[in-house]
Amino acid sequence: MAPKRKVKTKEVSPKKKRTAPAASQVFTRWLMKSEPESRLQNGVEMKFSFDDLKKEPDQTTCWDGVRNYQARNFMRDQMKVGQSAFFYHSNCKDPGIVGLIEIMREGYVDHTQFDKKDPHFDPSCTKDNPKWMMVDVKYVRKLKRFISLKELKTLHLEHKESGGPLRSLALFTRARLSVQPLTTEEFDFILSLEDKDPEEQ
DNA sequence: GCCAACGTTGGC
DNA sequence: GCCAACGTTGGC
């Protein structure tokens, strides 16, 4: 008698719950990049400066167009209403931190993924199976002075030697992330720079 | 699951 | 406008 072939009863494991991976560290402060200078993308003009945010109704906007999983996960899993973020100008003549914003609404579906005319249209997404999320943010205030990427870079390099607060700032360790997490130590230190003369550093 | 090819980001 | 760094894709 032929040995009974053991029918592989594939363990019908309950569908893996799509839970957020246990975050190794919980962040409550953020840096969000936006391009303040005009640029064409798929024939659509892209530009959103800190002043543009100030001009929005209620000085609030949805942060659409993020198409990076890490950044999406931060918005989906960790950003909470009331948290603070820096508004950073990227891909421009003068990159750096210009102001403060506040999270006004937690992660929800980014509608631009379904919009064929949007430069961030993603044909792999359906309404039943959206991929991308966004949050709402509100203008809080300009910093007392502009804190340039250059200044932050200098401090980062110093702090790598000394073990200072900006030793592992995401702006340099994960440079391409458009939504970056900051520790409160990093956030508070950067914020304290606005009261200092940049020449004295 | 590796990794080459490719695309994008963003400083310079 | 260049290009290094790095994230994504897809063949194998």
Side-chain angles (χ1 to χ4, degrees):
Chain A
M1 201 193 250
K4 247 202 211 128
R5 167 167 289 224
K6 179 121 188 207
V7 177
K8 257 210 180 129
T9 48
K10 190 165 186 201
E11 293 261 328
V12 189
S13 56
K15 258 244 167 78
K16 274 254 166 65
K17 279 257 178 56
R18 188 80 199 88
T19 48
S24 52
Q25 194 178 359
V26 175
F27 293 98
T28 60
R29 299 289 183 273
W30 311 96
L31 179 146
M32 316 208 22
K33 294 183 186 174
S34 188
E35 302 189 19
E37 288 170 12
S38 207
R39 181 170 68 86
L40 284 184
Q41 189 171 348
N42 304 335
V44 181
E45 181 172 51
M46 306 300 304
K47 145 183 175 357
F48 195 76
S49 68
F50 195 49
D51 283 336
D52 293 328
L53 174 60
K54 191 176 186 182
K55 288 182 216 146
E56 289 286 313
D58 217 14
Q59 302 189 333
T60 299
T61 194
C62 57
W63 206 261
D64 62 336
V66 173
R67 296 295 180 267
N68 169 283
Y69 290 107
Q70 278 190 10
R72 190 252 342 241
N73 293 350
F74 283 130
M75 293 197 291
R76 185 188 63 191
D77 305 334
Q78 294 207 46
M79 277 193 181
K80 304 292 175 207
V81 170
Q83 293 177 347
S84 297
F86 290 123
F87 193 106
Y88 177 91
H89 279 169
S90 71
N91 203 14
C92 59
K93 193 161 156 287
D94 240 344
I97 296 172
V98 285
L100 279 173
I101 56 181
E102 180 182 343
I103 310 304
M104 299 303 286
R105 180 175 171 185
E106 285 162 27
Y108 63 110
V109 173
D110 177 347
H111 55 89
T112 64
Q113 66 197 294
F114 312 119
D115 180 359
K116 285 199 177 65
K117 295 193 193 72
D118 192 280
H120 302 290
F121 171 62
D122 183 344
S124 73
C125 300
T126 62
K127 301 237 169 172
D128 289 337
N129 199 7
K131 268 188 196 155
W132 305 112
M133 311 279 284
M134 61 187 183
V135 295
D136 286 354
V137 303
K138 181 169 186 164
Y139 179 99
V140 174
R141 67 171 174 87
K142 258 191 144 155
L143 292 194
K144 293 175 202 161
R145 67 177 184 85
F146 175 71
I147 299 178
S148 69
L149 174 67
K150 191 162 172 261
E151 178 179 350
L152 292 167
K153 177 88 183 246
T154 301
L155 288 165
H156 167 66
L157 293 175
E158 287 173 16
H159 290 189
K160 272 212 297 190
E161 299 300 314
S162 66
L166 303 190
R167 62 191 176 277
S168 52
L169 194 67
L171 202 51
F172 306 104
T173 58
R174 301 150 88 179
R176 295 181 48 186
L177 252 193
S178 67
V179 174
Q180 304 192 343
L182 276 80
T183 64
T184 49
E185 186 190 29
E186 290 166 339
F187 183 88
D188 292 344
F189 181 85
I190 292 171
L191 198 55
S192 77
L193 294 175
E194 67 174 348
D195 291 317
K196 291 187 182 144
D197 183 341
E199 301 308 312
E200 279 175 22
Q201 310 256 346

